[in-house]
Amino acid sequence: MDYLISELPDEILENIISHLSIKDAAATSILSRRWRHLWKYIDYPILDIDLADLISISSYENPSSQPVRSEILSLVSTILDRHQGSTIPELRIRFPYCYSSFGGEVDARPLVCWIKTAVKKKVKNLFLQFNTLGGNTITNARTFRTLPSSFSSLVSLCLVALHSLYSRTLINYFLLNSPLLEMLFIQRCSGLTNLKIYCPNLKHLTLSDTSTEHLEISAPNLESFKFQHDSQPTLVFKNVPSLKHISLEGFDSYRLIVSSNRNPIFRLLTQLDSLALTKLSQADITSSPIINFPVLKNLKQLDLSINSYSDLLNTLIPLLQASPELLKVSLINLENGVYGCSRGEYALSSRHQCLEVVEIVGFMGSGEEIELAGYLAEYATSLKKIIVHPHYESVHSGGLVRLRLRLPSPVELQII
């Protein structure tokens, strides 16, 4: 059977291989000499190049020797150079952490060549992960100056684990030369302590696990902003009239939005459709309710991550009262349990007329959780459903049964 397949013309074999991943396609190189290089000439609709796959490929072809870093990088260039199509809609080049042993000096030339190919092939979606190109020095840095002056096809860009030696250079390059860029995702990139994002068509921005301490954003078409950080940063929004969705995670974002009514986040709240906050209490800091909060007339979705019951009350209750059009509330329990307050401390002044869904993630089945869920069902006259993602202990403790008994009959209880 293998013999008959090998007799087919190259065009048919290449069409068959094009439906495989690069890793599986490359594995065909061990079938026979006829198959050895066929996979390198395929026009993949999504070109996903992973170092782990290339090491596997190298071991197929040379089982007696260990892959050399220069050979692996050269193979990436070979795959790109031999791509026959005029365009590559989506290009992914990934160097995972588990292969960080490919360290040493950083040579900018392969990286620049790959980006030049991406420009030439009119890539729309680009994903780059280069943490294995580690090292303390960068060679041939001047080659960055030879990058094309326009990357006009680029719409979506993901940058993961870029080295501090070139992260700012690359980010600035893409921002300055990609006029159609709409989505920017930056994760685990170092060297970005002070970062400015100026991008006229950018719609979605995510920064996760970066070293950013000061962030300035000017993006008139920006719709969503997600920021994950271990400590409280300085955020400056200069021109974001279209911003509707904000998610602040990994630090006490509650303090950021209520620290002052002059705070840029505070001023943006009234234009948001959705808001996600992390509330991290500290033992030496007394939690207090939000006061003088603006009316969030557009807010439809609220996500709160909490690890203290009093923090939940002091954050949730004022936000509920300030958001008359709110449709859904999600409560994410960071430490699997909320304790210590009674129903009398809810102190809601009036019933909510629009809230339809309450979601509880990490439900433990404690009396406080059950009482809060029941009270919200009574407080929101329009409530239709409570969605629960239970912790396994709540199943054994009978918490879900008690919750169902506590809820008014018209309110549906959905267990995920």
Side-chain angles (χ1 to χ4, degrees):
M1 184 66 178
D2 291 342
Y3 174 80
L4 294 177
I5 293 177
S6 296
E7 292 298 314
L8 295 173
D10 284 355
E11 293 80 4
I12 295 178
L13 294 180
E14 289 172 5
N15 182 269
I16 294 173
I17 296 174
S18 69
H19 295 282
L20 304 175
S21 67
I22 285 188
K23 180 178 181 179
D24 292 336
T28 64
S29 65
I30 66 173
L31 295 177
S32 69
R33 182 172 298 180
R34 168 80 190 285
W35 290 80
R36 184 169 184 178
H37 298 291
L38 279 174
W39 68 273
K40 299 177 183 179
Y41 295 91
I42 305 303
D43 294 340
Y44 301 93
I46 297 178
L47 195 55
D48 190 350
I49 305 173
D50 191 317
L51 177 61
D53 295 341
L54 299 189
I55 291 176
S56 298
I57 294 166
S58 179
S59 64
Y60 290 150
E61 298 182 346
N62 301 287
S64 61
S65 63
Q66 292 295 321
V68 179
R69 173 184 167 178
S70 59
E71 295 175 354
I72 296 299
L73 300 183
S74 176
L75 186 52
V76 175
S77 299
T78 298
I79 295 171
L80 292 174
D81 291 342
R82 293 183 176 180
H83 189 276
Q84 302 297 306
S86 59
T87 63
I88 302 176
E90 182 171 339
L91 174 62
R92 292 170 167 260
I93 303 177
R94 296 180 288 157
F95 288 72
Y97 275 122
C98 55
Y99 294 100
S100 58
S101 58
F102 284 78
E105 293 184 344
V106 178
D107 187 348
R109 288 175 299 183
L111 176 56
V112 170
C113 288
W114 301 339
I115 295 175
K116 285 182 176 179
T117 300
V119 173
K120 179 181 178 181
K121 295 291 187 178
K122 300 178 182 179
V123 169
K124 291 184 177 181
N125 305 308
L126 181 63
F127 181 104
L128 301 176
Q129 180 178 345
F130 291 145
N131 44 279
T132 55
L133 300 183
N136 297 319
T137 60
I138 185 168
T139 60
N140 302 299
R142 291 183 179 180
T143 191
F144 282 122
R145 301 176 186 175
T146 68
L147 286 169
S149 59
S150 176
F151 198 160
S152 59
S153 62
L154 190 62
V155 174
S156 174
L157 174 65
C158 293
L159 302 174
V160 178
L162 297 188
H163 196 285
S164 59
L165 294 177
Y166 52 81
S167 60
R168 182 178 296 276
T169 299
L170 283 186
I171 289 171
N172 287 340
Y173 166 74
F174 288 118
L175 289 175
L176 288 172
N177 298 285
S178 306
L180 299 182
L181 186 64
E182 295 184 358
M183 195 284 289
L184 176 60
F185 179 96
I186 301 174
Q187 183 180 43
R188 300 199 315 271
C189 293
S190 55
L192 304 175
T193 303
N194 190 337
L195 181 61
K196 295 183 179 180
I197 303 291
Y198 291 168
C199 192
N201 286 313
L202 190 65
K203 293 183 178 180
H204 308 286
L205 172 62
T206 299
L207 294 177
S208 177
D209 297 325
T210 65
S211 56
T212 306
E213 297 176 2
H214 182 94
L215 175 64
E216 185 175 307
I217 303 173
S218 179
N221 289 298
L222 188 66
E223 298 175 4
S224 68
F225 170 60
K226 183 175 181 179
F227 188 81
Q228 187 176 42
H229 202 285
D230 290 335
S231 59
Q232 182 169 313
T234 299
L235 303 178
V236 179
F237 296 89
K238 285 199 167 181
N239 183 21
V240 289
S242 303
L243 188 59
K244 298 297 182 184
H245 311 279
I246 288 182
S247 175
L248 303 175
E249 300 179 11
F251 61 97
D252 194 343
S253 53
Y254 161 90
R255 294 184 178 279
L256 184 63
I257 67 169
V258 303
S259 58
S260 169
N261 58 14
R262 294 186 298 272
N263 188 293
I265 290 284
F266 194 93
R267 295 197 300 269
L268 287 172
L269 293 176
T270 57
Q271 72 184 53
L272 297 181
D273 288 340
S274 72
L275 175 65
L277 301 175
T278 296
K279 180 70 178 77
L280 301 177
S281 67
Q282 301 179 31
D284 59 339
I285 298 176
T286 301
S287 176
S288 58
I290 302 173
I291 58 175
N292 299 323
F293 211 69
V295 175
L296 309 183
K297 58 183 179 180
N298 297 313
L299 197 67
K300 303 294 190 298
Q301 168 80 40
L302 174 64
D303 298 340
L304 293 179
S305 297
I306 51 92
N307 64 358
S308 165
Y309 196 69
S310 61
D311 287 342
L312 171 61
L313 297 180
N314 289 330
T315 305
L316 173 62
I317 302 307
L319 285 172
L320 284 174
Q321 293 176 327
S323 309
E325 300 299 319
L326 194 65
L327 296 176
K328 182 179 179 181
V329 171
S330 294
L331 306 175
I332 299 94
N333 188 353
L334 298 180
E335 290 189 349
N336 298 320
V338 290
Y339 307 98
C341 293
S342 64
R343 171 173 176 161
E345 298 184 53
Y346 300 144
L348 288 164
S349 58
S350 60
R351 292 182 178 272
H352 203 286
Q353 304 297 319
C354 291
L355 185 63
E356 296 182 352
V357 178
V358 171
E359 182 178 29
I360 304 175
V361 180
F363 178 77
M364 287 285 290
S366 68
E368 290 83 3
E369 289 173 301
I370 294 171
E371 184 63 21
L372 175 61
Y375 185 78
L376 290 175
E378 297 170 357
Y379 161 70
T381 58
S382 53
L383 193 68
K384 298 178 180 178
K385 180 188 302 184
I386 290 185
I387 303 172
V388 173
H389 302 256
H391 188 276
Y392 72 92
E393 290 185 11
S394 68
V395 178
H396 298 292
S397 67
L400 294 174
V401 175
R402 295 196 302 273
L403 176 59
R404 175 65 272 178
L405 295 174
R406 176 65 178 83
L407 298 180
S409 57
V411 177
E412 176 189 353
L413 177 61
Q414 181 176 343
I415 311 300
I416 303 297

